Amino acid sequence: MTRRFVGFVAAAAAAMTITGTLAAAPATAAPNAVDYTAIVALNNCSGSVVRPSGAANTDKALVLTNGHCVKFMAAGEVILNQPSARTFTLLNSTAQTLGTLTATKLAYATMTDTDLALYQLRESYADIESRYRTKALTLNSVHPKQGADIRVVSGYWKRIYSCKVDAFVHQLKEANWTWKDSLRYTSSCNTIGGTSGSPIIDTADNTVVGVNNTGNENGGRCTQNNPCEVDPAGNVTVRRGINYGQQTFQVNACMSTGNNVDPNKAGCTLPKPRV
């Protein structure tokens, strides 16, 4: 997982400087193709401006990224409505900088069962559309399908990875963390450090179905940077070089008035803060 942090990928960065292939963004996007619209870059990760199904234009917008892009959180830890002034670089469709968005709070973050964080911004969806001509990406409200064609879009590296949903993993274990029903990619999504928090976009409708978070780097078994798969019978499988994300459809059931996250809302399955 730490390999998804930019601070842990000096070698990859050097390779990009030499070849220029990973950092280069396309000059134009094909019609209806996934591009960099609503994608953001953090100082150490990637992210996206997302809109839950019931959000209003006047609601303060949300940025989706990983929980571990906030900090390495303890098992069972949940952060809710913590003040934050974190900034995000908003990109246009061709990965050029449009401006800076600013958070007012960390609305929700956890590394338990999933690995996600939602920042609430100072700007509303209407503000962003008016100022930057950019609409947020929609958070899909249903479980993604195996075999779906997906794109993992990194705002940090300005790179789009193309692959398919290979399977769903009962439990994905990495060091002290356990994630449930994780999304496994086919091998062409060979994500690198700095891609943490990138949205996983279903090309069928260009909605967000997950958030990129980890991969098995060198074949280790259930250790940091080397997650392992555990099936319902407890059998462990290691897939060296394979990468994973966490689903996000469940976020929609946890949203309340004003685009706030309410883990105690009926039907919400996100982990709740400790009492």
Side-chain angles (χ1 to χ4, degrees):
M1 176 175 52
T2 53
R3 67 187 290 267
R4 299 298 175 274
F5 273 117
V6 66
F8 291 83
V9 288
M16 290 179 191
T17 302
I18 294 169
T19 65
T21 56
L22 296 186
T28 58
N32 301 317
V34 172
D35 57 28
Y36 295 91
T37 299
I39 301 301
V40 300
L42 287 68
N43 64 318
N44 62 343
C45 287
S46 299
S48 57
V49 181
V50 296
R51 183 168 179 163
S53 55
N57 288 337
T58 53
D59 284 341
K60 300 302 183 182
L62 297 175
V63 163
L64 170 70
T65 189
N66 283 145
H68 79 257
C69 293
V70 177
K71 66 172 186 173
F72 281 170
M73 303 172 68
E77 183 178 0
V78 174
I79 298 173
L80 189 66
N81 296 327
Q82 181 182 90
S84 173
R86 192 165 192 175
T87 58
F88 311 89
T89 301
L90 178 66
L91 306 180
N92 69 5
S93 62
T94 59
Q96 304 304 306
T97 297
L98 284 172
T100 300
L101 304 175
T102 304
T104 58
K105 68 178 181 180
L106 177 58
Y108 183 88
T110 191
M111 289 180 66
T112 299
D113 294 349
T114 185
D115 182 10
L116 68 80
L118 290 163
Y119 286 90
Q120 191 172 85
L121 301 179
R122 179 176 59 196
E123 300 86 358
S124 69
Y125 294 112
D127 291 335
I128 295 171
E129 186 169 355
S130 174
R131 190 175 308 162
Y132 301 114
R133 301 293 185 265
T134 296
K135 290 187 176 181
L137 294 168
T138 299
L139 277 178
N140 202 309
S141 59
V142 298
H143 193 289
K145 296 179 180 179
Q146 187 173 2
D149 188 45
I150 56 173
R151 302 291 182 267
V152 179
V153 187
S154 172
Y156 189 91
W157 289 122
K158 300 180 180 178
R159 181 178 181 185
I160 299 176
Y161 298 83
S162 302
C163 60
K164 295 184 182 298
V165 175
D166 189 33
F168 299 100
V169 179
H170 175 65
Q171 288 186 340
L172 190 67
K173 290 184 176 290
E174 180 176 340
N176 296 323
W177 302 285
T178 300
W179 303 306
K180 298 178 179 178
D181 201 21
S182 299
L183 191 157
R184 185 174 76 219
Y185 313 142
T186 52
S187 60
S188 56
C189 277
N190 53 341
T191 51
I192 61 171
T195 63
S196 280
S198 299
I200 304 168
I201 299 176
D202 190 328
T203 63
D205 55 10
N206 283 19
T207 59
V208 175
V209 296
V211 59
N212 177 63
N213 82 306
T214 195
N216 188 290
E217 184 172 333
N218 55 30
R221 180 184 170 100
C222 313
T223 59
Q224 193 158 320
N225 304 325
N226 292 288
C228 64
E229 300 180 10
V230 183
D231 70 14
N235 299 308
V236 175
T237 301
V238 172
R239 300 180 191 272
R240 182 175 182 174
I242 293 299
N243 299 291
Y244 304 87
Q246 302 305 312
Q247 298 181 54
T248 52
F249 73 93
Q250 62 270 45
V251 170
N252 285 286
C254 303
M255 301 308 300
S256 64
T257 304
N259 220 23
N260 291 300
V261 181
D262 181 5
N264 294 307
K265 184 178 178 181
C268 178
T269 58
L270 290 176
K272 298 170 175 54
R274 293 169 176 166
V275 178

